[in-house]
Amino acid sequence: ISSTDSLHVFDSQHRPDVDVVISLGGDGLLLHVCAEKFGHGPVPPVLAFNLGSLGFINPFEFSQIHDVLRRIVRTDIRHNATIRNRLSLSISRRTNQAYDLEHYQVLNDVILERGADPGLSNLEAYCDNVLLTRVQADGVVVGTPTGSTAYSLSANGSMVHPDVSGILMTPICPHSLSFRPVVLPDTCAVTIRP
């Protein structure tokens, strides 16, 4: 950074002017920055330096910070980037006699779980309106490859590289062995119904 450049504290007024984000933390901080500061909109390139425990989505170690920053400001070399896909989520809830529809963009995962009910969730999972399975479990995780290291991994799901285009479905403590973690094509419209 030269003496004519300056750093600004990020707030919503600076969002259109952001060229790059530097994240010093773990995977959770990176996800928080993307969700809370940029929401549904586009996220500028993020230089993520791992200070957490897993670091699956943070490609750089903190010890590399000086070399990476020196390299990134150079214009004579090409820089590679990993594009992270998001899920488009629609939730239909019945309230009184009508249905409310809510829409979200999801970078990590969506958890459908039984809540305070002591019984198992009994859900039907569909891909493009074709029944995949009946889920009898504490719940199900539907996630992106970016989210594969979060709750899905804790529920015995696989880690999936961010370059793989897919949708993960992982049961949470399933009652039977008939439904195991699965990776579906990202073109699949996943529907889960009670």
Side-chain angles (χ1 to χ4, degrees):
I1 297 176
S2 71
S3 60
T4 59
D5 294 328
S6 62
L7 294 175
H8 299 281
V9 175
F10 181 83
D11 62 28
S12 60
Q13 294 175 351
H14 292 103
R15 186 177 308 168
D17 302 327
V18 174
D19 294 317
V20 67
V21 174
I22 299 173
S23 172
L24 305 175
D27 291 352
L29 175 66
L30 178 58
L31 293 169
H32 175 77
V33 167
C34 292
E36 295 299 318
K37 300 300 182 186
F38 295 97
H40 300 310
V43 177
V46 179
L47 293 175
F49 294 91
N50 183 37
L51 295 175
S53 58
L54 189 58
F56 184 71
I57 60 176
N58 291 341
F60 304 113
E61 291 300 321
F62 185 69
S63 61
Q64 299 173 286
I65 192 166
H66 296 293
D67 292 334
V68 170
L69 292 179
R70 268 196 283 292
R71 183 169 180 230
I72 207 73
V73 295
R74 290 181 57 185
T75 58
D76 61 327
I77 57 175
R78 183 183 167 112
H79 302 288
N80 294 323
T82 301
I83 305 298
R84 305 282 177 165
N85 292 322
R86 298 188 218 181
L87 295 175
S88 177
L89 171 68
S90 298
I91 299 174
S92 176
R93 297 179 202 256
R94 185 173 182 178
T95 56
N96 297 329
Q97 299 301 319
Y99 285 93
D100 290 335
L101 194 59
E102 301 170 33
H103 300 282
Y104 301 93
Q105 294 289 315
V106 179
L107 177 62
N108 212 28
D109 54 23
V110 175
I111 314 301
L112 293 114
E113 48 105 16
R114 61 186 172 92
D117 186 341
L120 294 172
S121 296
N122 287 297
L123 306 168
E124 292 181 342
Y126 296 84
C127 176
D128 294 330
N129 293 318
V130 175
L131 180 66
L132 289 173
T133 189
R134 289 182 173 76
V135 181
Q136 193 171 23
D138 285 348
V140 65
V141 179
V142 179
T144 65
T146 300
S148 70
T149 59
Y151 199 169
S152 178
L153 183 63
S154 297
N156 208 26
S158 295
M159 290 199 307
V160 178
H161 192 276
D163 287 342
V164 174
S165 298
I167 300 171
L168 290 71
M169 279 186 44
T170 307
I172 303 168
C173 299
H175 183 258
S176 70
L177 297 178
S178 63
F179 178 35
R180 306 309 306 155
V182 63
V183 179
L184 301 168
D186 67 347
T187 57
C188 175
V190 175
T191 305
I192 298 180
R193 296 186 182 120

